[in-house]
Amino acid sequence: MAPAVQPVRGTHDLIGDDARRHAHITACFRGVAERYGCQPIATPIFEFTEVFHRTLGETSDVVAKETYSFTDRGGDSLTLRPEMTAGVARAFLSNGLAKDLPLKFYGWGPMFRHERPQKGRLRQFHQVDIEYLGLPEPQADIEVVALGHDFLGALGLATRVELRLNTLGDGASRAAYRAALVDYFTGHRDRLSADSLARLERNPLRILDSKDPGDREIVVGAPRLSAHLNPASQAFFAAVRAGLDALGIPYVVDERLVRGLDYYSHTAWEFVTADLGAQGTVLGGGRYDGLIEMMGGPATAGIGWAAGIERLAMMIDLPPDRRHVVAVIPVGDAALLPAMALSHRLRQAGFTVEQGARGSVGKRLERAVKQGAAVALILGEDELARGVVKRRDLASRDEVDVPLADLEQALAPWR
RNA sequence: GCGGGCGUAGCUCAGUUGGUUAGAGCGCCAGAUUGUGGCUCUGGAGGUCGCGGGUUCGAUCCCCGUCGCUCGCCCCA
């Protein structure tokens, strides 16, 4: 049993700069998503296990080995969400939102996967998430990819990520291709790696991006997805590409980029980076037109993406804190309550105020400077008696007495 | 889940061919300076040497296990 003071394996605390990085990322995300007309959504971090089994498939790795499931006191099997899409789809059905289509959602929060932790991979991690429902046209694909592109750009990562794009085709194209692939790999099954042999059973498309050198030789001769696309699927992908070209969003087509789950169709994409080792995917998305129907709802188009906040946090530069902190420094016991009242008044007036409570005036000034304060207000018996407060500019060290009544005005530059 | 590397103070790290009180820098607290900061000086707090077992007269050091981190695989954000 691990000591109680240790966090659970693969979890971590967000404190200080880590917390600020996360806050900055979610703030950027909200700003960009709102500009695209998305509305916020928050769903529970756990669902009935069935929700994930129905949507992710019994055989997917996420469900088979990565899921945090437990039985609650009522005997129900519950699962901590490994991703957001299933919960959003369930919420769509639970709340009868079909009448409100189309819908554009943005959300974020913790996700849970029981995996071996490594850099950029945690058991509790955080994602920002976009889900578009009821928009079957390629314009939605273009818009949603553009949203991700703008989001990464807002974080200053435009030059450090590359957009990889592929199509899986519609259901018919995909089924035909899958069959051809199974045929081909079955013919070479004696030369496939053990991992790929397993993939042949439950997820043959995944063999295409195997890292095993032997597999790669076989993959070279494998049938191409592009050759199995029917005209409608080809036209859809061409429209998506034309849209990205028109918006000036660069991408590379990567035919080995696949999605394992059956309900995915058409566009799949990832923004990848070389800066994070084995966990290079920073944002991944796809179209999931079959999902809602698979859950028992009406046939409803869906497309979305998720990005890992921790992975992004490792890449961004933390923007400087631009708050102006006003430090209030009482001198002597008699000044303590008046100083607190002063701090209270200034906070209500919209200033950011830190009030020192310990040590000499020198210590308090020192602490104020370290906290990033730009100006200090010194309030002692002398000032109290005269109805003023001493305003000290911490950069220039200039001091001036300011009548209490004029304080807000005298602090205007530091608001 | 599989394989490799690493765990000494809050942080970055020294150290011991196994030997008595485990060190440094930075950070933190305090004093010099009882109403004035960024420098300097002085002092202080802070360590089950990850945890458990073994070998040994003696283990932070060697061995085993375990927990955690890390790199890769699987998979994915």
Side-chain angles (χ1 to χ4, degrees), chain A residues 99-135:
Chain A
K99 62 185 185 327
D100 298 326
L101 289 173
L103 290 162
K104 309 202 304 194
F105 290 120
Y106 72 94
W108 72 93
M111 309 293 157
F112 306 84
R113 291 181 198 172
H114 193 102
E115 292 188 282
R116 179 83 169 255
Q118 59 187 89
K119 182 179 183 182
R121 169 184 300 163
L122 297 152
R123 289 188 169 181
Q124 177 176 337
F125 60 104
H126 300 78
Q127 288 185 334
V128 296
D129 186 86
I130 292 287
E131 309 287 352
Y132 277 26
L133 297 173
L135 291 165

Side-chain angles (χ1 to χ4, degrees), chain A residues 9 28 117 135 160 171 212 216 243 274 285 328 342:
Chain A
R9 178 179 217 191
C28 277
L135 291 165
R160 293 172 64 193
D212 181 274
R216 295 202 141 184
V328 170
L342 182 64

Side-chain angles (χ1 to χ4, degrees), chain A residues 251-285:
Chain A
Y251 60 89
V252 298
V253 173
D254 179 359
E255 282 211 47
R256 295 187 325 190
L257 196 162
V258 296
R259 290 282 106 101
L261 308 177
D262 286 340
Y263 57 75
Y264 277 109
S265 59
H266 292 298
T267 320
W269 71 96
E270 293 178 357
F271 284 88
V272 300
T273 178
D275 300 346
L276 294 181
Q279 277 66 243
T281 301
V282 113
L283 183 158

